[in-house]
Amino acid sequence: MENEEDKARSSCRSENIDRLSDLPDSIIHKILSLVDLRCAVQTSVLSKRWRFLWTSLTDLNFNGTCMDFTNFLTFNRFVSRVLSTREDSNVYKIQLYSTWSPHHSLLDMVIKYAVSHHIQNMVINYGHSTIRSFSLPPAFLTCQSLKTLQLSGFNFKALGFALPNLISLSLSHCSFTNSSDFDDPFASCLKLKNLSLRSCSFLSSKVLKISGLQLLNLEIVGLGYMNLAGLLYRIDIFAPKLISFVYKLSHIVDFSGLHLPSLNFARVHVCTKQDKKKEAYLGLINMFKGLGNAQSVMLHSQTIEVLGSFPGLLEQEPSPLKRLKSLQVAPNNKPLVPPHVMTYLLGGTPHAETIHEDYL
């Protein structure tokens, strides 16, 4: 005997009801924003109801890695057609992904369109390719509407981020080769709360300054610290509201200028060659002095190894972590933390919890 659900399903089939097309435009737009833009455009052949729905999308995901694009020219033509056909309304988000060698004309077209349509969120990702000799338009670097920005593969010859409403900035595999030292490259982003630097290089700087009065989260991974003169790198951070700091690097960096009074969480992974351990050790000691307010600290076993390499020196150092509540060490298949390292880390907070994790 048919139940009510089966009867309803049979009724829909018999009446050939298109429930998807009956949805409000806002919901259909949300669905289409979750798929590649090429697929969204292809829905225009479904019916008259769908013919122009995609032209009012506010999320544009240009995925050049899609198998339908056989080469850069087909991808370029598709992007150009979408931007010229789309209705003239504001854009909430643009994502541009490609594994082909970047073409300046495409970048220029997309960026200028984004600025003129009051973009709020933008992603440009060319993987590990480097976009050389391309200057971001001044209108983009001072865009009033932009709130989140992710760039990968850019080579900046001059750095002047002055995005007044930017909240989150993520730079990956970017390099900066200004002829003079960079002086606080992100200071003009007055509302910046989240900053991520992954595999970036500041090749001309002697000192990388990161200051942000509103900065809450900072991630530095794989930084190319060495300047053109071959001098050791120094990083000064002034972030009175910073609560989370993640750092992973195999180079020796001078962290003698840290001002992080509100820090709650710190994650540190430092690994180095045997002949550089002394420099790495001294760099860590300077860093931990600046991380003294952290309540939760996660350390990779390689960081512990560097700290434990010079017991005579470490035993003379006072414990810097005065508010520590939790210490996590990973991976847990490594030897236990040496006693003199534990004393250094926990001496100021002997009741802090120690946890060994499988992954960090």
Side-chain angles (χ1 to χ4, degrees):
M1 182 176 180
E2 275 191 324
N3 56 34
E4 293 299 322
E5 184 177 346
D6 292 333
K7 289 180 179 179
R9 191 179 295 112
S10 299
S11 175
C12 288
R13 283 197 296 265
S14 62
E15 297 175 17
N16 199 25
I17 297 177
D18 183 1
R19 294 188 178 276
L20 186 59
S21 295
D22 288 339
L23 293 173
D25 286 4
S26 59
I27 295 180
I28 295 179
H29 284 159
K30 180 62 177 178
I31 295 172
L32 293 180
S33 70
L34 300 175
V35 301
D36 179 80
L37 189 55
R38 189 176 180 90
C39 296
V41 172
Q42 289 173 342
T43 62
S44 62
V45 302
L46 294 178
S47 66
K48 290 183 179 180
R49 166 82 171 99
W50 287 82
R51 185 176 180 184
F52 297 110
L53 271 176
W54 71 268
T55 64
S56 54
L57 285 173
T58 59
D59 287 27
L60 306 179
N61 180 11
F62 297 106
N63 187 358
T65 63
C66 177
M67 295 297 291
D68 291 336
F69 298 111
T70 56
N71 54 53
F72 169 77
L73 292 177
T74 58
F75 180 58
N76 194 18
R77 283 195 294 266
F78 173 73
V79 175
S80 179
R81 179 192 164 215
V82 167
L83 297 184
S84 61
T85 308
R86 183 183 175 273
E87 70 175 37
D88 192 23
S89 59
N90 289 345
V91 180
Y92 177 73
K93 185 175 185 178
I94 289 180
Q95 300 178 78
L96 179 64
Y97 296 96
S98 179
T99 55
W100 290 300
S101 181
H103 200 281
H104 292 185
S105 63
L106 175 63
L107 286 172
D108 194 58
M109 174 177 58
V110 172
I111 289 173
K112 288 181 178 178
Y113 185 91
V115 173
S116 64
H117 289 77
H118 307 287
I119 187 73
Q120 293 188 43
N121 307 279
M122 191 156 192
V123 179
I124 303 179
N125 190 335
Y126 276 88
H128 294 180
S129 300
T130 302
I131 306 171
R132 300 187 181 279
S133 304
F134 178 80
S135 298
L136 289 169
F140 180 72
L141 292 174
T142 58
C143 181
Q144 297 283 324
S145 59
L146 199 59
K147 294 183 178 179
T148 70
L149 176 62
Q150 297 180 44
L151 299 177
S152 177
F154 277 79
N155 179 19
F156 298 98
K157 290 190 174 181
L159 182 62
F161 287 107
L163 300 162
N165 293 303
L166 192 69
I167 295 174
S168 296
L169 174 62
S170 177
L171 303 177
S172 175
H173 296 92
C174 293
S175 62
F176 304 89
T177 54
N178 194 0
S179 57
S180 61
D181 297 345
F182 287 112
D183 184 18
D184 239 347
F186 313 109
S188 296
C189 299
L190 300 179
K191 294 184 179 181
L192 190 64
K193 293 183 178 181
N194 309 295
L195 175 61
S196 174
L197 303 174
R198 301 184 68 88
S199 300
C200 292
S201 298
F202 295 79
L203 299 177
S204 300
S205 299
K206 296 178 181 177
V207 179
L208 172 61
K209 295 181 180 179
I210 299 175
S211 64
L213 295 179
Q214 304 301 322
L215 196 61
L216 299 177
N217 303 291
L218 174 61
E219 177 188 54
I220 300 176
V221 178
L223 190 68
Y225 78 105
M226 193 71 74
N227 57 47
L228 294 179
L231 301 175
L232 295 181
Y233 212 36
R234 194 177 99 206
I235 300 178
D236 291 346
I237 304 174
F238 181 84
K241 293 185 178 181
L242 194 77
I243 58 175
S244 175
F245 177 57
V246 175
Y247 176 81
K248 182 178 180 180
L249 204 60
S250 59
H251 303 311
I252 302 98
V253 177
D254 179 1
F255 271 109
S256 56
L258 296 183
H259 180 72
L260 311 173
S262 302
L263 190 64
N264 181 62
F265 171 77
R267 175 178 171 181
V268 181
H269 181 179
V270 173
C271 56
T272 187
K273 296 179 181 179
Q274 187 65 33
D275 62 342
K276 298 291 185 180
K277 276 193 175 181
K278 183 66 174 292
E279 291 91 336
Y281 164 81
L282 294 174
L284 278 175
I285 294 299
N286 274 333
M287 177 192 289
F288 278 111
K289 290 177 182 177
L291 304 181
N293 290 310
Q295 297 185 44
S296 176
V297 175
M298 298 179 68
L299 301 179
H300 195 279
S301 57
Q302 290 176 313
T303 308
I304 297 294
E305 182 182 345
V306 173
L307 280 175
S309 298
F310 304 93
L313 294 177
L314 192 64
E315 289 168 358
Q316 299 176 30
E317 295 287 341
S319 178
L321 305 172
K322 304 302 181 183
R323 300 171 57 203
L324 189 65
K325 295 181 179 179
S326 172
L327 173 65
Q328 299 181 52
V329 180
N332 64 6
N333 60 344
K334 298 293 184 180
L336 294 176
V337 181
H340 64 285
V341 177
M342 288 296 289
T343 300
Y344 169 73
L345 295 172
L346 302 180
T349 52
H351 301 295
E353 181 183 17
T354 304
I355 304 170
H356 291 266
E357 300 282 357
D358 290 328
Y359 300 98
L360 182 58

